[in-house]
Amino acid sequence: GQSLEQPSEVTAVEGAIVQINCTYQTSGFYGLSWYQQHDGGAPTFLSYNALDGLEETGRFSSFLSRSDSYGYLLLQELQMKDSASYFCALNSGNTPLVFGKGTRLSVIA
Amino acid sequence: DTAVSQTPKYLVTQMGNDKSIKCEQNLGHDTMYWYKQDSKKFLKIMFSYNNKELIINETVPNRFSPKSPDKAHLNLHINSLELGDSAVYFCASSQEGAASGPGELFFGEGSRLTVL
């Protein structure tokens, strides 16, 4: 089966940088995705890593190390609106995405 | 235009009742899903359909029955509702079954079901 582990909560200061880690276990691997979900909203896609290394999209970056079964989401120049839950999700091929339990990010002034 | 839309957004009902949630996507995607998000925000796959055919049926009670009249629609019918069915149900779609694509799912806004 597949499983993902990520911290349940993270708190960071506005303007700072925060990293949300995700480790996974799977027998097959296509890629690791990240989703953002605000309270009462739908999950929305942020980024995807299929290969090792860093993918940058504006203030958000995502990193993958396939040999370590590890990835992280990096959020820079934090804004209050970044307060949300962040999910890593595993694409292991032939099955729907399997989501981690989410990390609730609180950005404080 | 809403890419993935589901109705109703809120549903409050009594135990034992039967209810349906409808989902439509206008993205031209081949694959649609139902996910359940519980009170702890855990997103769990329930069903996956590809071109109207059931691909994945996770360990979901058979009180839950999905129906896909065409590849743009995936409805969820729930019989004999139980308290534990209270959750937010998300419909989603993707191209190429997300198995070989970029892993991007497009979610509807969710249907919050409360069973009393």
Side-chain angles (χ1 to χ4, degrees), chain A residues 5-83:
Chain A
E5 292 288 333
Q6 53 182 129
S8 58
E9 291 182 351
V10 171
T11 300
V13 177
E14 193 176 14
I17 299 172
V18 72
Q19 178 174 312
I20 299 173
N21 298 321
C22 175
T23 57
Y24 60 86
Q25 288 188 323
T26 180
S27 53
F29 181 83
Y30 273 72
L32 191 71
S33 304
W34 288 91
Y35 286 75
Q36 178 191 61
Q37 185 182 27
H38 286 100
D39 285 346
T44 55
F45 174 81
L46 288 177
S47 69
Y48 177 76
N49 294 73
L51 301 174
D52 291 350
L54 195 67
E55 293 282 341
E56 297 181 70
T57 311
R59 293 188 298 115
F60 294 1
S61 305
S62 58
F63 172 82
L64 176 68
S65 168
R66 287 174 296 171
S67 60
D68 295 322
S69 298
Y70 163 75
Y72 65 72
L73 180 70
L74 193 72
L75 296 86
Q76 302 182 74
E77 300 171 18
L78 279 172
Q79 301 175 10
M80 300 300 285
K81 68 178 182 179
D82 297 330
S83 293

Side-chain angles (χ1 to χ4, degrees), chain A residues 30 33 35 37-43 45 48 85 87 91 93-101 104, chain B residues 9 33 35 37 40-43 45 48 56 90 97-105 107-109 112:
Chain A
Y30 273 72
S33 304
Y35 286 75
Q37 185 182 27
H38 286 100
D39 285 346
F45 174 81
Y48 177 76
S85 293
F87 296 85
N91 181 345
N94 298 320
T95 60
L97 290 188
V98 175
F99 285 81
K101 294 187 177 179
R104 185 167 185 88
Chain B
K9 192 172 172 67
Y33 312 84
Y35 279 85
Q37 187 170 47
K40 294 183 179 178
K41 293 219 150 191
F42 183 39
L43 267 168
I45 182 68
S48 168
I56 297 286
F90 284 100
S100 55
E104 182 169 4
L105 296 185
F107 283 86
E109 289 300 309
R112 181 175 292 277

Side-chain angles (χ1 to χ4, degrees), chain B residues 79-98:
Chain B
N79 290 327
S80 303
L81 278 157
E82 300 177 357
L83 293 176
D85 297 333
S86 295
V88 181
Y89 292 85
F90 284 100
C91 176
S93 72
S94 71
Q95 193 58 287
E96 298 175 352

Side-chain angles (χ1 to χ4, degrees), chain B residues 26-79:
Chain B
N26 62 6
L27 297 168
H29 287 164
D30 293 325
T31 307
M32 296 183 73
Y33 312 84
W34 279 109
Y35 279 85
K36 178 180 179 181
Q37 187 170 47
D38 61 23
S39 57
K40 294 183 179 178
K41 293 219 150 191
F42 183 39
L43 267 168
K44 186 172 167 57
I45 182 68
M46 299 175 69
F47 301 103
S48 168
Y49 267 74
N50 183 271
N51 271 319
K52 303 190 299 177
E53 291 189 15
L54 180 65
I55 304 299
I56 297 286
N57 178 356
E58 293 295 316
T59 51
V60 175
N62 58 14
R63 297 182 295 102
F64 291 79
S65 51
K67 282 191 172 57
S68 182
D70 55 61
K71 77 171 193 175
H73 295 84
L74 180 62
N75 304 322
L76 183 65
H77 188 76
I78 316 170
N79 290 327

